[in-house]
Amino acid sequence: MTSPKIINDYLPLTHTTYYILLALHNPLHGYGIMQKVEEMSEGEVRLGPGTLYGALSKLEKQKLIEKTTVEDRRKCYVLTSIGEQVVIGEYTRLKRLLVNTKQVITNLGGEET
Amino acid sequence: MKKRVWKFFFVWQDESEEAWLSQMAEQGWIFKHYRLFYYVFEKQYPNQLLYKLDYQVNIKDFPGYVNLYKDAGWEYVTSYLGWHYFKGHKDGVYTEELYSDQNSYIQKYRRIIQTLFLALWVVVILNLPTIIHPPLEMKWILFIPAFSVILLVVAIIFVRRKIMNLTRAL
């Protein structure tokens, strides 16, 4: 288990990075990630290849993801254990944000409960 | 049929270069490769093509890089000094831009700035002996490094400005 302090150094994640990490809980190659992210975000996020290439290089260097198998000459990536903890850390952070804003949103006449 | 065109774009004019390559394709001139200010085109049917210039140095796995772009609908054309040219059809590309968020697009210009700074230090260091002790009867020789330095500094300023405009839009 990596110490929470180290995990917090990676947070907060950008929208793009969070989706890429979420997609990589199963091994996927580049194009697979693009499709998975589009599906998860219901079409909201379409990753450009330049954006994805840069993100993959960076995340691999940070050891949040690693290469696994090669599928049709395409390298697949998957989350490392640090990567998994970073996803959990970001989820916890986002959840706290939601809980903390809930009362305000209700008072503002937004979503009920 | 082939055609060579001499044309000069500054390092910060990559978007104008992309637009110009698209215009050429509309007239049936399909871009093939680039070498120091000249572009080679091949005559084909006029085509509506998008061109994009990526900037990447130290690509560890070049086929993997090209493959990723290909999967996203971008066909690799050629490379020159870290610049990689891609073309695609409007309906065939996954996204119309190589960079789908502002942050990663800014990173492209940050990499360009790094290279420009490196070039600047190389020019200065290599010319240090001439700058410190210019040969008395050949003072004009200082114009060469001076010109390169000015060009690089101007380039850095312009690319910086581009980054600042992109950051402001964030």
Side-chain angles (χ1 to χ4, degrees):
Chain A
M1 196 78 181
T2 318
S3 84
K5 196 191 168 301
I6 292 168
I7 298 301
N8 281 336
D9 286 346
Y10 295 102
L11 307 181
L13 302 174
T14 65
H15 208 60
T16 306
T17 311
Y18 189 47
Y19 266 123
I20 293 172
L21 290 179
L22 280 182
L24 286 177
H25 76 281
N26 283 326
L28 283 174
H29 55 65
Y31 191 57
I33 299 172
M34 290 181 189
Q35 288 172 316
K36 183 75 190 169
V37 168
E38 186 181 354
E39 184 198 311
M40 281 193 300
S41 67
E42 292 169 348
E44 187 211 335
V45 182
R46 281 168 83 94
L47 297 173
T51 299
L52 182 59
Y53 178 79
L56 291 176
S57 318
K58 192 179 161 201
L59 292 170
E60 200 186 359
K61 212 187 259 173
Q62 292 178 325
K63 301 208 175 1
L64 299 189
I65 60 169
E66 63 191 2
K67 287 193 191 87
T68 52
T69 47
V70 175
E71 201 181 287
D72 326 312
R73 293 186 295 118
R74 288 168 181 81
K75 277 180 294 184
C76 291
Y77 296 87
V78 73
L79 286 183
T80 60
S81 61
I82 307 175
E84 285 171 2
Q85 289 172 56
V86 168
V87 170
I88 296 169
E90 180 69 352
Y91 173 74
T92 314
R93 190 188 69 85
L94 290 171
K95 204 167 73 177
R96 201 180 306 131
L97 255 167
L98 276 184
V99 169
N100 292 347
T101 42
K102 206 167 185 175
Q103 193 55 50
V104 178
I105 296 300
T106 314
N107 288 346
L108 288 173
E111 222 175 297
E112 298 286 311
T113 54
Chain B
M1 191 164 61
K2 277 190 179 176
K3 170 159 138 173
R4 281 188 166 75
V5 181
W6 290 83
K7 197 163 171 77
F8 183 77
F9 287 100
F10 284 105
V11 65
W12 60 89
Q13 292 175 316
D14 52 337
E15 279 154 340
S16 323
E17 190 175 346
E18 291 167 352
W20 178 66
L21 292 173
S22 292
Q23 281 167 27
M24 292 297 282
E26 260 173 56
Q27 296 159 28
W29 291 107
I30 308 300
F31 172 54
K32 289 290 153 184
H33 67 257
Y34 172 82
R35 287 288 171 272
L36 206 66
F37 312 137
Y38 83 81
Y39 296 76
V40 178
F41 295 91
E42 214 173 80
K43 187 75 185 168
Q44 286 173 17
Y45 288 109
N47 210 335
Q48 293 241 337
L49 289 174
L50 295 170
Y51 280 89
K52 291 290 160 199
L53 269 78
D54 196 12
Y55 185 78
Q56 299 282 354
V57 282
N58 302 325
I59 299 176
K60 284 189 200 98
D61 167 27
F62 196 73
Y65 165 73
V66 169
N67 229 335
L68 178 64
Y69 284 61
K70 194 179 162 196
D71 283 341
W74 293 97
E75 191 188 325
Y76 172 70
V77 182
T78 186
S79 299
Y80 188 75
L81 296 178
W83 290 95
H84 309 287
Y85 292 78
F86 291 90
K87 67 175 177 190
H89 287 275
K90 215 175 168 177
D91 328 310
V93 292
Y94 185 68
T95 49
E96 275 188 33
E97 297 292 336
L98 298 181
Y99 294 90
S100 49
D101 64 35
Q102 211 82 312
N103 257 321
S104 55
Y105 193 45
I106 290 172
Q107 290 306 320
K108 169 182 154 182
Y109 293 104
R110 293 240 163 91
R111 291 193 290 275
I112 296 168
I113 289 222
Q114 278 176 3
T115 304
L116 291 171
F117 265 112
L118 189 73
L120 183 63
W121 299 138
V122 169
V123 169
V124 170
I125 289 164
L126 286 181
N127 288 289
L128 219 48
T130 332
I131 295 165
I132 296 168
H133 296 291
L136 281 177
E137 66 286 8
M138 280 168 69
K139 276 215 163 120
W140 57 267
I141 211 165
L142 281 172
F143 278 113
I144 301 163
F147 183 70
S148 318
V149 166
I150 289 167
L151 211 62
L152 285 165
V153 168
V154 169
I156 289 168
I157 291 169
F158 272 82
V159 179
R160 268 251 164 98
R161 219 167 63 174
K162 207 159 177 168
I163 293 177
M164 268 155 62
N165 288 335
L166 285 166
T167 314
R168 211 168 293 146
L170 267 178

